[in-house]
Amino acid sequence: MKIYVAGLLMFGVFSIVSAQTGSPAKDTIRLSLKDAWQKAEENSRHIRINTINVDIAEAEVKDAKRERLPEIEVKGSAEKASNIPIYENGIFSKPTQHEVIHTLYRAGADFYLNIYNGNKLNLKIKENQTLQKIKDIRKEQSVSDIHYKTASLYLELQKTLIFRDLIKQDIDDQKTQLKEIQTLYKNGVVLKSDVLRIELELSKRKMALVTIENDILIAMQKLNIILGIPDEQVVIPEAPFNQWNENTTYDEYLKQALDHSFDYHVSEQQTALSIIKLKQVKANVRPKIGMYGEFYYANPQIFLYPYNPYWYSLGIVGIKVSFSISSLYHNTHKVKAAQLEFEKEEEVHRDTEDKVRQQVKEAYLRYQEALEQIKVAEANVAQAKENARIIKNTYFSQTSLITELLDADIQLLQTKFELEAAKIMAQNNYYLLQNITGVL
């Protein structure tokens, strides 16, 4: 338990480690990381929500473009009219009834075609197209985020599996060593306390193995949930792999981020949106020009005198121009507010660029740190192996103590943990860097 905890504390919750196991059970499935990404995409509700948002934005763009078409209305009516009373001697006298045509029919259509409205329609279309771009970026970001989250869980499962392999191998080695020491004890070469110390350390390793087995079940369930498969399904990641690029510089990563970073481009589109809204507000003080028309059939003919009970038709077409005088003073502060909103979005965009640079710098340095840790850990493993060999030889030749032998074994196991953890930490940091730069 002491060894296992020491290995975890060395890398903390940020260490994500890979592993491979022996022969799988019958219901076991092996997954590559790409397969895991595909399953996670298919199961992600967040991606589905963003996909629907993109579809909604696309429909809104099409709807705005349809507003260029004329508004057409068809209408009709049927009415009954009473006679017209004529009060020739005052309203309190009995009137005479003027006969009229009592049944009136009307059917027709009218239209209005917007010719110019301060360019508001074109601005509305641009606004919807900009919102669609933002939702497209958010959808791509959700895919990248689910890729990174899946990779983290995938590597976390590999971590627990490789820890299990290491501890099992160490338990086997300790059992062999215990037999050798028990033989020496029977021959009277070592003390009983040496045998007890070895047995105690072996018991600790077995307890650590129990803890690791539980960690495997926990990590597997987390991965299964994001993949959308049953909790009980046994999933085995592919063998550990080192898939990273050590030659890409910080400046190249930064350029990638400014070209592809999701937050940066969303901020960019938000700034463009504020410009459009400023233009929309300024368009309130422009004239409106439109073409209108009406055509109808009606009965009776009461459009011109003398009236007659016959069907007639009439068509009217014209140009309508209007200008709101009140907009000259109502719009002043609206323009000011829209201008300030634009300036605010410009500042937000600059702030977002600063944050992206900081995120790329931090992720890059942590990535380089993990690569350096691999080199250090490889050297430590080699030194720990040689140290364990020397101490073992000196112990069995009665020139070193049992505590020295146990410490050497612990150091060797810990350096193996550190080496494997460093490799997969570098892998995880590489995926994090790709997610930040928007290319995962």
Side-chain angles (χ1 to χ4, degrees):
M1 187 65 173
K2 176 182 176 183
I3 300 170
Y4 178 57
V5 172
L8 290 180
L9 291 177
M10 178 64 68
F11 295 95
V13 294
F14 301 103
S15 66
I16 300 187
V17 187
S18 63
Q20 84 186 100
T21 60
S23 58
K26 291 182 180 179
D27 59 344
T28 298
I29 58 173
R30 288 189 176 273
L31 280 180
S32 67
L33 183 56
K34 288 186 178 180
D35 292 336
W37 280 344
Q38 182 178 355
K39 283 184 174 292
E41 285 184 41
E42 294 170 354
N43 184 63
S44 173
R45 290 185 175 88
H46 190 54
I47 292 178
R48 284 202 292 270
I49 290 171
N50 281 279
T51 300
I52 294 173
N53 283 336
V54 170
D55 294 338
I56 292 172
E58 184 179 352
E60 288 175 345
V61 171
K62 292 179 180 179
D63 179 66
K65 290 181 178 180
R66 286 291 178 93
E67 292 187 23
R68 288 194 175 118
L69 301 176
E71 299 176 11
I72 301 175
E73 182 180 5
V74 178
K75 53 188 176 181
S77 63
E79 303 171 313
K80 281 288 187 179
S82 65
N83 289 334
I84 299 177
I86 305 296
Y87 298 91
E88 296 175 344
N89 299 318
I91 61 173
F92 297 106
S93 62
K94 183 178 180 180
T96 59
Q97 298 294 327
H98 180 72
E99 289 288 339
V100 299
I101 301 172
H102 295 285
T103 304
L104 301 92
Y105 302 98
R106 185 183 178 98
D110 58 49
F111 77 93
Y112 179 81
L113 176 62
N114 177 32
I115 298 176
Y116 180 77
N117 189 19
N119 204 35
K120 285 185 177 181
L121 181 55
N122 289 333
L123 291 173
K124 182 180 179 181
I125 293 172
K126 287 183 179 179
E127 179 185 12
N128 288 341
Q129 288 174 335
T130 304
L131 290 172
Q132 182 183 4
K133 289 179 182 178
I134 292 175
K135 291 179 180 179
D136 282 331
I137 296 170
R138 290 301 187 196
K139 177 187 174 182
E140 293 173 3
Q141 185 176 24
S142 67
V143 173
S144 181
D145 288 343
I146 204 69
H147 279 185
Y148 177 66
K149 185 176 181 180
T150 303
S152 297
L153 295 174
Y154 186 91
L155 295 173
E156 182 180 358
L157 179 57
Q158 286 187 329
K159 170 195 71 176
T160 55
L161 292 173
I162 199 170
F163 276 4
R164 183 176 67 180
D165 287 347
L166 288 172
I167 201 73
K168 280 184 175 181
Q169 181 61 48
D170 188 67
I171 288 173
D172 291 340
D173 294 341
Q174 291 300 314
K175 286 180 178 178
T176 301
Q177 187 167 261
L178 176 60
K179 290 179 181 179
E180 294 175 354
I181 294 176
Q182 286 173 336
T183 301
L184 293 177
Y185 171 68
K186 290 179 182 178
N187 295 331
V189 177
V190 299
L191 300 174
K192 178 65 174 178
S193 61
D194 289 5
V195 177
L196 294 176
R197 288 292 302 273
I198 291 292
E199 289 176 344
L200 178 61
E201 290 299 327
L202 182 59
S203 177
K204 290 180 179 179
R205 282 165 169 76
K206 289 179 179 179
M207 190 62 234
L209 178 60
V210 173
T211 303
I212 293 174
E213 293 286 2
N214 289 332
D215 287 343
I216 289 173
L217 296 177
I218 294 170
M220 193 173 297
Q221 184 192 38
K222 290 180 180 179
L223 181 61
N224 288 358
I225 288 173
I226 200 172
L227 298 181
I229 58 181
D231 291 354
E232 299 77 16
Q233 177 69 61
V234 178
V235 176
I236 303 299
E238 286 187 344
F241 54 92
N242 301 330
Q243 187 181 26
W244 58 67
N245 184 357
E246 299 184 36
N247 299 322
T248 306
T249 65
Y250 164 72
D251 290 334
E252 290 172 333
Y253 278 119
L254 181 59
K255 184 178 184 303
Q256 279 185 352
L258 296 180
D259 289 339
H260 303 286
S261 170
F262 304 112
D263 289 338
Y264 181 79
H265 286 296
V266 166
S267 175
E268 192 175 52
Q269 293 301 320
Q270 291 285 6
T271 304
L273 192 62
S274 65
I275 297 175
I276 294 172
K277 290 183 177 180
L278 176 59
K279 292 179 179 179
Q280 287 174 329
V281 174
K282 289 182 177 180
N284 291 334
V285 294
R286 294 174 184 171
K288 300 178 182 179
I289 304 172
M291 176 182 292
Y292 69 94
E294 183 179 11
F295 179 84
Y296 62 87
Y297 282 98
N299 185 343
Q301 189 285 112
I302 54 175
F303 183 70
L304 298 173
Y305 189 81
Y307 307 145
N308 57 72
Y310 303 115
W311 284 93
Y312 75 99
S313 64
L314 181 66
I316 299 173
V317 66
I319 297 291
K320 182 180 180 180
V321 180
S322 64
F323 180 79
S324 175
I325 301 297
S326 61
S327 64
L328 294 174
Y329 50 86
H330 282 159
N331 212 50
T332 305
H333 294 293
K334 292 179 182 179
V335 172
K336 181 64 176 178
Q339 180 67 41
L340 292 173
E341 181 68 24
F342 167 62
E343 293 175 5
K344 184 195 78 171
E345 288 297 335
E346 283 189 317
E347 289 301 319
V348 170
H349 184 53
R350 296 189 190 99
D351 183 62
T352 302
E353 182 179 352
D354 293 340
K355 289 179 179 178
V356 169
R357 292 200 339 267
Q358 183 273 323
Q359 289 173 349
V360 173
K361 184 73 170 181
E362 181 178 354
Y364 178 77
L365 291 177
R366 294 302 181 194
Y367 169 54
Q368 293 297 318
E369 179 183 326
L371 294 178
E372 187 63 28
Q373 182 65 31
I374 293 174
K375 300 175 183 178
V376 174
E378 287 175 343
N380 289 344
V381 169
Q383 293 170 358
K385 282 183 179 179
E386 181 62 16
N387 180 62
R389 185 189 67 80
I390 293 173
I391 296 297
K392 185 173 182 179
N393 290 336
T394 57
Y395 173 78
F396 284 104
S397 62
Q398 300 297 299
T399 58
S400 63
L401 301 175
I402 186 65
T403 54
E404 295 175 316
L405 177 63
L406 295 176
D407 287 343
D409 290 340
I410 290 174
Q411 288 177 356
L412 177 58
L413 182 59
Q414 184 169 327
T415 55
K416 288 180 179 179
F417 279 164
E418 291 171 357
L419 174 59
E420 297 302 326
K423 288 179 181 179
I424 307 306
M425 182 186 291
Q427 186 67 71
N428 180 65
N429 287 346
Y430 178 68
Y431 287 140
L432 175 60
L433 192 53
Q434 283 193 315
N435 186 40
I436 292 173
T437 56
V439 296
L440 181 59

